[in-house]
Every structure is written in C-alpha cells, then in structure tokens.
Amino acid sequence: MDLDQPTVLLPGDVRMPLLGFGTWQATGRAGYDAVLAALDAGYRHLDTATMYGNEEEVGRAVRESGLRREDVFITTKLPPDRVGRERETIEASLRALGTDHLDLWLIHWPPSSPADSIPVWRELLAARDADLTRAVGVSNYGTAQLDELIQATEENPAVNQIRWSPSLYDRQRHTEHRDRGIVLEGYSPFKASDLSDPVLTRIAAAHDVSPAQVVLRWHVDHEIVVIPKSVTPERIRANADIWNFSLTAEEMRDIDALGG
C-alpha cells in the first residue's frame, strides 16, 4: 500500500489509512463520481456497507481510477438482518465490489438478539481465516459488547466504528479501545460538530484552515480513523487536504474539552 498517508496497524500486519472516505447515501452515478473524485483527491481508504446499496459503484470507481487494488483499503459491513447468512453476504459484497478480498469487514450493528452476537463474530473470524477479508471488526458496539466477543473467542475486533466528533469526545471510551488494542474509527465527524464553535474557529484561523479540516486533523492526531463523506468535489478535496498542519498539545486539549 502507498504509505504517504498516516496509517494505523491492525492485527495481521494490515495498515489502515487514518483518513477514509465515507459513502453512506452516495449511490448511483453521484456515488460513483464521488468515489472517483475522492480517489483523485488522494483518499486511499473507502468505507461502504451492504446496506448502502452502492458496492458496485464503489468497486467500479476503484477499477476505473487506475490505482492498484492493493493501494486502496476497502471496508464493507454485514447488515443486522443477515445473521446466519454471513458467508453468502460477504461473497455478494466481493462480487459487487469486483475484488477477491476485503481489507476490513465489520458487523454493522450488534445483532438484535444477543444470543446471535458470538456466532456472528465467529463467522467473521472464519471469513478472515478463509482470506476473504484481511481484518474483521464491528460497528456501533459498546465496551461491554466488545468484551463479550473477546472473552468468548480470545479474538479482539480490529476496529470498532462508532459515531465520534469533538463534541462527543469521551476520554474513557477512547482509553477502553486503546487498552484492548481495538482501533477506534469515527463516523459522522461533522454531523455532531458545531463548526462555528469559537474553539474550532480560533484554531482554524491559527493554521489558516477550515474548522472542518481542524476536526479531521484532531481525529488523525489522536490516531482515530475518520471517514468524512461528501459528494461535492471541492469539499471532498478540502477534507483530504489536512496533511500540511498539525495541532499542538494545547489545541488538542481545548478540542477534547468540547466533549464536556
């Protein structure tokens, strides 16, 4: 993988770029165009899901970008209603994406029946062991739910993808992930952020960047993976342009404090 962007190491020596491109609600021609624009802007990590209904567009954009498959990190997710059909679901995802393996496969939400939780996780581990995906993890899981999987299988999810932003910053939850060797991946970084907050605008002005770029850089400097989404080419490019500045320890603390 092209490593000119910061990455975080997952089990199995898998490197995951800290900046990814989210594709929720990016479907059809607009979704394809957005993913192509993201790859053109320098993103090397794409996040999709069976539920998004856009895996074909994502896969086509990767193929038509001219990039090598190994230079693009692809995540997709198992929907909660596919309990018992895990293998069939990942095979359908691979066909839609036009690839023989994923880089990361996540359980999108904890199963509605807690009794299904461990069997589903075992199926993800089996898919990894069959080389259908390089790493496996979960999304929208609480710490107790993570511990249940770890205690049952002695296999830690590589990643937990959850809603995250400065205003949602939770030091304890961040530490709980780090202590378990689970990478925290944040989605909806802007939806829960007040981009006009005086702390963000002051720090943005100090670096001559936008508050949105400060929010993304804050994730990266915490080694939290972040997946902003947009279908606007200018915003896609701006969200990728966060490598020419970094935040001071004091600025990081000021932003952390927005989480109350």
Side-chain angles (χ1 to χ4, degrees):
M1 176 170 280
D2 179 359
L3 291 183
D4 52 0
Q5 285 184 23
T7 58
V8 64
L9 190 61
L10 306 184
D13 206 28
V14 176
R15 292 215 158 263
M16 180 180 194
L18 280 164
L19 177 68
F21 183 70
T23 67
W24 180 55
Q25 294 180 323
T27 54
R29 180 63 197 239
Y32 164 79
D33 287 344
V35 173
L36 210 51
L39 293 169
D40 188 55
Y43 291 88
R44 294 296 178 264
H45 166 189
L46 303 172
D47 181 88
T48 183
T50 296
M51 283 173 74
Y52 299 170
N54 63 7
E55 289 173 321
E56 283 188 20
E57 289 88 343
V58 169
R60 188 158 62 90
V62 171
R63 286 193 302 282
E64 294 183 11
S65 69
L67 293 164
R68 298 179 307 169
R69 167 67 185 90
E70 59 265 33
D71 287 336
V72 183
F73 187 101
I74 299 175
T75 300
T76 192
K77 309 181 196 82
L78 174 82
D81 62 358
R82 297 295 179 97
V83 170
R85 292 187 289 156
E86 296 85 359
R87 182 60 65 98
E88 175 192 326
T89 303
I90 192 173
E91 287 173 352
S93 287
L94 293 172
R95 277 196 303 278
L97 287 160
T99 183
D100 63 357
H101 72 280
L102 303 174
D103 295 287
L104 179 64
W105 195 33
L106 304 178
I107 302 172
H108 204 152
W109 291 89
S112 50
S113 166
D116 290 328
S117 198
I118 291 159
V120 171
W121 178 233
R122 289 192 193 281
E123 287 297 323
L124 264 77
L125 295 170
R128 182 202 62 192
D129 293 345
D131 296 326
L132 298 177
T133 181
R134 297 168 70 217
V136 287
V138 297
S139 183
N140 301 299
Y141 273 57
T143 303
Q145 293 169 312
L146 296 172
D147 284 343
E148 184 191 6
L149 302 184
I150 295 166
Q151 284 156 12
T153 62
E154 296 185 353
E155 291 262 20
N156 299 27
V159 171
N160 185 23
Q161 186 185 115
I162 57 177
R163 202 156 170 260
W164 199 258
S165 74
S167 61
L168 298 175
Y169 185 66
D170 180 337
R171 185 180 306 280
Q172 184 182 345
R173 198 158 187 211
H174 188 194
T175 303
E176 286 167 351
H177 282 78
R178 244 194 340 250
D179 288 349
R180 288 159 179 76
I182 297 171
V183 170
L184 179 55
E185 179 176 15
Y187 68 82
S188 298
F190 306 133
K191 201 168 259 185
S193 293
D194 175 6
L195 295 177
S196 63
D197 185 282
V199 171
L200 296 177
T201 57
R202 168 175 59 79
I203 294 171
H207 294 280
D208 195 24
V209 296
S210 71
Q213 288 167 317
V214 168
V215 167
L216 297 177
R217 187 73 217 199
W218 170 81
H219 283 77
V220 166
D221 285 350
H222 265 313
E223 293 206 316
I224 291 170
V225 178
V226 63
I227 46 171
K229 68 183 183 65
S230 175
V231 293
T232 313
E234 303 77 51
R235 196 161 299 147
I236 289 170
R237 280 195 297 275
N239 289 344
D241 187 18
I242 59 168
W243 308 119
N244 297 323
F245 74 103
S246 60
L247 302 173
T248 66
E250 185 180 7
E251 288 169 340
M252 292 290 285
R253 282 195 297 273
D254 289 348
I255 298 170
D256 290 354
L258 297 176

